[in-house]
Amino acid sequence: MLLNLCRKYEKWFQITPQNARYDRGLLLLFIFFLFIGLISVFSASVVDPAYLAMKPAQRATQHPDMFRFLKSDLQNVALAFTLFCLVLCIPMRIWKKRLNAPLFVITLIMLLFLAFGIGHKINGATRWIPIGIMNFQPAELSKLALICFLASYITRHYEEVRNKKLSLVKPASVVLLFGTLLLRQPDTGTAFVLAIVMLAMFIMAGIKIAQIFATAIIIVIVFTATILQNPYKLARVTNFIDPFSDPYDKGYQASNSLMAFGRGEIFGEGLGNSILKWAYLPEPHTDFIMAVWGEEFGLIGIIFIILLLSTLIWKALKISKDALQLENRFGGFFACGIATLIFCQGFVNLGTALSLLPAKGLTFPLISYGGSSLLIMSTTIAILLRIDYENRQQIRQQNTKQGSE
C-alpha cells in the first residue's frame, strides 16, 4: 500500500518535472524560508528589549510580552503570502508596459518625502512612512522599482547598451538619484546594493567592460567620500576589522555577534538557548538574526542557510538564463536583478554578523523581521515564479507548433 502511494505521488517528489507548469522547488523553498523566518524571529525576539530597558520598579508591575514580535511577524507573513499570490497573477507584459512607470514615480515621491524629513523617525533615521497597519520602508520598494526600470531600459535599448560607448550614463544617473535620496535618510546599505544590482544587470546585457570598470571606480570613490565625511560611518568601517579593540563602545555590535557564533561552535546550543540575544546583541531579530541562528544551530545551521540561499539564487539565475534564451529579455534581466539583490542582501547581512563587513543595516532575505522587506522579497519570488511559468508556457507552445508541422 505504501509503495503504491509513493508511485502515485512520485511526480511530487521530483525537483520539478519537465512538464510542470511552474518550479515547484522554488515555491517550496519560498514557503520553507518563511517558516524558518518565523522560528528565527520568535527565538531572537523572545526577550522583550522594552522590558529589559525598564527600571527594576517598573518591571515589578509589568510583564514582558515575549510574543510581541512573533504576532507582528505572523501578520507580516500573512500579508506577504497574500501579496505573493496576487503578484503571481500579473503577466510580465503588465510589469513592462503598465506598472514600470507608476512604480518608479511612486517610489521616487516616497523617497523625496523622506529626504525632506516627512516620515517616521527611528534611531535617528527617517526611513519609514506610516501606511495603515504598518510603517513602510520606501528603500525596500526602491529595489524592486529600480530592477523593473533597468530591465525595461535594457530591453528597449538593447543594441545601444551593448554597442554605444557611454550607454551606462542614463541608467547610472537614475541610480545616482535614488542613491542620493537614500543617503539622506541615511541608508548606505541600500544605496550600495542598488549600485551592485545595476552593474550585474548590465554585465548580463553584455555592456563593454571599460564602462563597468569606470562605473565601479566612481561607485567606490562616492562611497569612500560618503564614509570619510561621516565620523560615525568611518568608525564602523575602522572598527569592524578588530571589534575587540573597543568591545564596549564602537566594536560592541561586532564583538557580541562574534561571541554568539563562537558559543554556537559546530552544532549550536539548541533552539531558544541563545544568551547573546539577552540585550547583548542589538536588533537580534533583524540585522543580527544570523548571529542568534549561529549560536543556536552552530556552523551546521549556518551552512544549511547558505545552501538554501545559494539554491534560491541558482534558481533565479536559471530562470534568467532560460528567459534570455527564449528572447524574453525583460523577464531575463528582471530575474537577473532579483538574483543579484538576494545575493547582496544575504551576503552583506551574514558578512556583517561575521564581522567580515562593516554594519550596513540590511535584513537577511525572507528570514529577518521586517514587514517592508518581507513584502518586497515575497513579491520578487512571485515574479520569479511568473517568469518561470511564462518560460515553460512558451516552450510548450514551441513544442506543440513543431509537432504540428
Side-chain angles (χ1 to χ4, degrees):
M1 180 178 178
L2 181 60
L3 183 60
N4 292 334
L5 187 66
C6 289
R7 287 175 180 173
K8 183 178 180 181
Y9 294 100
E10 180 181 2
K11 62 180 181 179
W12 287 94
F13 293 96
Q14 298 177 10
I15 298 298
T16 299
Q18 193 171 3
N19 62 344
R21 292 182 177 273
Y22 61 92
D23 190 337
R24 295 173 185 170
L26 180 57
L27 177 61
L28 292 174
L29 191 60
F30 168 65
I31 295 172
F32 193 45
F33 261 113
L34 292 181
F35 178 70
I36 292 176
L38 283 171
I39 294 175
S40 302
V41 168
F42 176 56
S43 177
S45 64
V46 70
V47 183
D48 190 350
Y51 177 77
L52 293 177
M54 294 179 183
K55 296 180 180 179
Q58 292 177 306
R59 293 183 191 177
T61 59
Q62 298 189 37
H63 298 282
D65 185 1
M66 60 187 297
F67 298 104
R68 180 162 67 97
F69 287 102
L70 176 62
K71 289 183 287 188
S72 180
D73 200 42
L74 281 169
Q75 174 184 286
N76 292 336
V77 168
L79 286 172
F81 196 77
T82 302
L83 182 61
F84 171 85
C85 295
L86 293 174
V87 172
L88 272 177
C89 302
I90 303 176
M92 292 309 298
R93 67 175 186 276
I94 301 298
W95 283 99
K96 181 180 178 181
K97 296 180 179 179
R98 297 184 183 179
L99 295 180
N100 179 32
L103 182 63
F104 182 89
V105 172
I106 290 171
T107 303
L108 184 60
I109 291 173
M110 285 185 169
L111 291 177
L112 286 170
F113 279 167
L114 295 179
F116 287 102
I118 304 172
H120 189 58
K121 194 172 185 178
I122 300 177
N123 296 330
T126 307
R127 299 181 185 175
W128 293 265
I129 293 179
I131 51 170
I133 60 175
M134 66 181 296
N135 289 320
F136 186 74
Q137 194 170 1
E140 297 296 332
L141 184 61
S142 70
K143 300 168 186 175
L144 177 62
L146 187 72
I147 292 173
C148 188
F149 165 78
L150 291 177
S152 176
Y153 181 88
I154 295 172
T155 303
R156 289 181 285 108
H157 304 277
Y158 185 66
E159 294 302 326
E160 177 185 333
V161 166
R162 291 173 61 88
N163 300 315
K164 194 174 179 181
K165 288 185 178 180
L166 299 177
S167 59
L168 199 55
V169 172
K170 292 180 182 178
S173 300
V174 175
V175 176
L176 180 62
L177 173 61
F178 273 39
T180 302
L181 295 175
L182 288 166
L183 289 174
R184 284 184 60 85
Q185 295 183 14
D187 191 347
T188 309
T190 300
F192 176 77
V193 167
L194 293 185
I196 299 301
V197 167
M198 179 194 69
L199 288 178
M201 292 178 70
F202 277 89
I203 290 172
M204 179 68 80
I207 196 171
K208 294 184 181 300
I209 197 68
Q211 290 195 68
I212 296 297
F213 277 119
T215 306
I217 291 172
I218 293 172
I219 291 171
V220 171
I221 292 173
V222 169
F223 278 99
T224 301
T226 302
I227 291 170
L228 292 176
Q229 290 177 358
N230 192 317
Y232 176 71
K233 294 185 182 298
L234 182 61
R236 277 187 170 186
V237 172
T238 55
N239 283 279
F240 91 95
I241 301 173
D242 184 15
F244 290 100
S245 62
D246 191 7
Y248 298 106
D249 189 12
K250 296 181 177 63
Y252 181 80
Q253 295 178 332
S255 59
N256 280 284
S257 181
L258 289 174
M259 284 190 283
F261 283 110
R263 288 195 74 250
E265 296 184 341
I266 303 297
F267 299 102
E269 295 291 323
L271 180 62
N273 292 329
S274 167
I275 291 178
L276 274 299
K277 67 186 178 186
W278 288 82
Y280 296 101
L281 273 173
E283 307 296 337
H285 55 298
T286 55
D287 298 354
F288 289 92
I289 197 165
M290 282 296 105
V292 177
W293 179 272
E295 185 179 2
E296 296 183 348
F297 294 97
L299 178 63
I300 300 299
I302 293 296
I303 292 175
F304 176 68
I305 292 295
I306 291 174
L307 288 175
L308 287 179
L309 192 69
S310 299
T311 303
L312 182 58
I313 295 168
W314 175 79
K315 283 184 175 292
L317 290 173
K318 184 179 182 302
I319 291 170
S320 174
K321 176 186 174 183
D322 292 343
L324 292 173
Q325 287 178 341
L326 293 167
E327 296 296 323
N328 175 16
R329 290 173 181 167
F330 179 73
F333 291 121
F334 209 133
C336 171
I338 292 173
T340 308
L341 173 63
I342 295 172
F343 168 78
C344 285
Q345 292 228 175
F347 176 77
V348 171
N349 182 276
L350 186 56
T352 297
L354 289 168
S355 196
L356 299 175
L357 295 170
K360 292 292 183 185
L362 292 175
T363 57
F364 196 91
L366 299 171
I367 292 181
S368 293
Y369 175 82
S372 304
S373 175
L374 189 57
L375 287 174
I376 298 304
M377 276 295 165
S378 298
T379 300
T380 61
I381 303 300
I383 292 172
L384 284 177
L385 271 172
R386 181 71 200 193
I387 297 170
D388 180 68
Y389 166 77
E390 293 186 5
N391 288 345
R392 294 170 186 271
Q393 192 177 40
Q394 186 174 343
I395 291 172
R396 282 196 302 273
Q397 290 173 353
Q398 290 178 354
N399 293 338
T400 303
K401 185 177 180 181
Q402 290 174 359
S404 62
E405 292 175 352

